[in-house]
Amino acid sequence: MAQSGEPDVPLRKIRGRRLRRLLARSRHIGFTPRVMLRRMIFWIGALAVGLCAIGFAWGANHANYLYHDLIAITRFAPFIVAPAGLALVAWLTRRFFPGSQGSGIPQAIAALQMREEGQRRSVLSFKLAFGKVFLTLLGLLAGASVGREGPTVQVGASIMLTLGKWVRFPRIELERGLILAGGAAGIAAAFNTPLAGVMFAIEEMSRSFEERTSGTVLTAVIVAGLLSLAVLGNYLYFGHSAATLGSPHEWIAVPVTGIVCGLLGGIFSRILIEISRGLPGAAGRFAREKPLWFAAVCGLLLAVIGLFSGSHTYGTGYFEARTIVEGGHALPQTYGILKMLANIVSYVSGIPGGIFSPSLAVGAGFGQNLAALMPDIPTGAVVLLSMAAYFGGVVQAPITAFVIVVEMTASSSMVLPLMAAALIGSGASRLICPTPVYKALAEAFLARPARAAKTQAPSQHIP
C-alpha cells in the first residue's frame, strides 16, 4: 500500500514543469521584471518629454507675446533689448551651459555615435536640458529668430538617456533606442505630429531603421503624443488649410516651388555649415576674441532686420506662418528673405535655439512670393508646397518634410504634391549642399575633442 504522500510527488513535478514553461514563455514575450522595468522607464521618460514639450511650447508662446507687446510700445525697443539680451544669453551659455548652443539636433545625432559616457554627458544631460529650455526662452524674449522644436529633441534625448541609466540596458538600446525615442517623442509632442516624430527619428537622426529600436521609438512617440493630445487637444500647429491642386496645369507649381525653394534651402544649409567652421577674416577674429560683443552686434543686426520687416522677423515665425497658411493679412513680400537672414544672424550669435519652425516660416514667406508670380494657382497650395520644398531643402529629409506639413495643416488632399515638392527640394538642395546640414554639423562636433566641445566658441558652435 502506497504512503499517503507518494501520489503528490509526480503532481509536484508536473506543476514545477508547468511553472518553468510559464516563466520561459513570459521571458519570451517580455513579461520578466527586468523587461517590465525597462518598459516603465520608457513610458515615464516619454511622459516627461511630453510634459517638457508642452511647457516649452507654453513658454515660447508667452515669450513671443511679451516681446511683441514691447514692440507695440515702441518699435525701436529691439535696438536695446536685442543686443543686451543676446550678449546675456551668450554669456550664460558659455559660462554655465556649454554644449547647449544651437538647435540640439546635431548633438543628439552625434551622441548616437559616441561610445564614452563622458562624451555623451557633454551633450545630453538634465543640466543641459534645463539650460536649453531656459536659454531658448530667454533668447525669444530678446527677439532672436529661433525655434523650440529642435531644442526639444536635445531635451527629450537627455531625459530618456538619463532615466535609462537607472536600468541596465543593452548597449544598442542605451545608445540608440533611448536617444532616438527621446528625440522622436520631442518632435511628436512639440508639433502634435506623431507620424512626423517617427519619420524624423528614422530619416534624420538615425538615417536608417533598425528593428531593435523601432518598438522603442513608436512607444515613446505614442505616449508623448497622447499626452500632448490630452493636454492641448487635437490642434493644428499652422491651422487648417483646404488648399488643393485642381486642374492639371496647376501642377506646374510642384516643380517650380521644389526647385526654387529647394535651392534656397540648400543655400541656407551651406551657409550654416560654413559658419560652423568659423567666420573668415576680421569677423572671425572678432567672434573668437570678443564673443559677447559679437553676440551684441548680432542682436543689433536682428533689430535692423526687424525694423525693415515691420517687426515680423522676431521669434519663432509661428504666427506669421500661420497667417500666410490661413490666408490672413498679407505680410511684406520681403518677409521670406528677411526671416532667412534673421535665422542666420541668430545662429551665428552662438545662442541656443532651433531652425525647425523658423525654416517653415521662411518657406511660407517664399511661397507668398511665388504665389504672386503664379496668380492662376491657389495661393494656399503654393504656400504649402513652398514650405515642404524649403524645409526639405534645409534638412534634406523629404519624408519628414512633407509629413510634418501635412500633419500641421491637415492638408490630406495635398499629400502627393507635397511629397513631390519635398523630394524635388531635397534633390535640388544637394546641388549646393551635398551633405545634410545636421549630419555635417554632427560630424564636425564629433571631430572635436571632448575638451573642445565643452569650451567651444560661438563661431564654432553646433546648431
Side-chain angles (χ1 to χ4, degrees):
M1 181 175 178
Q3 297 180 359
S4 59
E6 288 180 352
D8 293 335
V9 175
L11 183 59
R12 285 198 300 271
K13 289 182 178 180
I14 292 172
R15 289 174 176 172
R17 285 195 295 269
R18 289 177 177 174
L19 180 59
R20 286 192 294 271
R21 284 197 298 268
L22 181 61
L23 290 174
R25 190 178 303 167
S26 67
R27 285 193 295 269
H28 178 70
I29 61 178
F31 282 108
T32 63
R34 179 166 293 278
V35 171
M36 291 303 297
L37 179 59
R38 291 175 184 169
R39 291 181 177 178
M40 286 182 63
I41 292 295
F42 283 129
W43 298 335
I44 293 172
L47 288 172
V49 173
L51 287 173
C52 285
I54 293 169
F56 202 178
W58 182 87
N61 288 338
H62 280 74
N64 279 324
Y65 284 131
L66 288 173
Y67 193 78
H68 282 85
D69 287 343
L70 178 64
I71 297 173
I73 299 174
T74 170
R75 60 176 181 167
F76 295 103
F79 284 89
I80 298 175
V81 176
L86 262 64
L88 174 62
V89 175
W91 178 77
L92 291 172
T93 301
R94 294 170 61 85
R95 178 67 178 84
F96 299 104
F97 303 102
S100 66
Q101 296 92 331
S103 80
I105 293 175
Q107 287 96 318
I109 294 174
L112 290 171
Q113 304 178 46
M114 292 176 176
R115 294 294 178 263
E116 296 182 6
E117 183 179 350
Q119 285 184 310
R120 289 194 297 269
R121 291 179 61 184
S122 70
V123 292
L124 299 178
S125 67
F126 270 151
K127 176 184 176 181
L128 284 178
F130 170 79
K132 196 75 173 185
V133 174
F134 172 69
L135 294 176
T136 301
L137 294 179
L138 197 58
L140 289 172
L141 283 172
S145 179
V146 294
R148 59 176 171 82
E149 295 77 21
T152 307
V153 171
Q154 187 179 11
V155 171
S158 296
I159 292 173
M160 294 290 282
L161 187 62
T162 303
L163 291 177
K165 293 176 183 177
W166 297 353
V167 183
R168 294 181 179 179
F169 284 95
R171 188 176 185 84
I172 185 66
E173 287 192 58
L174 176 63
E175 293 186 349
R176 300 187 66 82
L178 289 169
I179 297 172
L180 286 173
I187 289 294
F191 280 121
N192 197 24
T193 53
L195 288 178
V198 175
M199 290 299 102
F200 174 78
I202 297 170
E203 190 178 30
E204 184 56 59
M205 289 187 66
S206 67
R207 294 275 164 180
S208 65
F209 187 74
E210 298 189 14
E211 183 180 356
R212 295 184 65 181
T213 61
S214 60
T216 302
V217 172
L218 290 172
T219 300
V221 167
I222 291 170
V223 173
L226 287 176
L227 180 62
S228 176
L229 187 66
V231 175
L232 301 178
N234 189 23
Y235 74 97
L236 298 174
Y237 193 87
F238 284 132
H240 181 270
S241 175
T244 184
L245 294 178
S247 57
H249 83 276
E250 294 179 351
W251 278 71
I252 190 64
V254 174
V256 171
T257 56
I259 294 172
V260 174
C261 294
L263 290 174
L264 290 169
I267 292 172
F268 176 74
S269 296
R270 186 63 179 266
I271 291 173
L272 294 195
I273 293 172
E274 294 301 325
I275 289 175
S276 71
R277 296 169 180 167
L279 293 172
R285 290 193 299 272
F286 180 51
R288 289 190 297 271
E289 295 171 4
K290 298 182 178 180
L292 303 186
W293 281 106
F294 180 78
V297 171
C298 290
L300 186 62
L301 289 175
L302 284 177
V304 173
I305 295 171
L307 183 65
F308 279 99
S309 71
S311 301
H312 289 297
T313 54
Y314 303 117
T316 63
Y318 162 76
F319 300 109
E320 289 76 13
R322 186 174 184 125
T323 296
I324 297 174
V325 169
E326 293 186 331
H329 67 276
L331 297 179
Q333 288 294 312
T334 56
Y335 173 73
I337 188 66
L338 290 177
K339 183 64 175 176
M340 181 177 172
L341 291 175
N343 294 347
I344 294 171
V345 173
S346 298
Y347 164 84
V348 76
S349 69
I351 67 171
I355 61 174
F356 247 82
S357 198
S359 292
L360 289 166
V362 171
F366 287 140
Q368 183 178 243
N369 300 141
L370 291 174
L373 300 176
M374 296 181 285
D376 295 334
I377 302 175
T379 299
V382 176
V383 169
L384 293 180
L385 291 171
S386 299
M387 291 173 70
Y390 181 81
F391 188 70
V394 170
V395 300
Q396 293 184 12
I399 299 177
T400 300
F402 90 82
V403 168
I404 207 167
V405 173
V406 169
E407 284 194 285
M408 288 191 304
T409 59
S411 50
S412 57
S413 61
M414 290 284 291
V415 169
L416 289 178
L418 288 172
M419 184 187 303
L423 286 169
I424 295 172
S426 181
S429 172
R430 292 179 186 274
L431 298 175
I432 297 174
C433 185
T435 305
V437 61
Y438 289 136
K439 180 181 178 182
L441 295 171
E443 288 174 352
F445 183 82
L446 287 168
R448 303 187 184 104
R451 179 173 57 83
K454 296 180 180 180
T455 58
Q456 54 188 322
S459 59
Q460 295 179 330
H461 69 281
I462 298 297

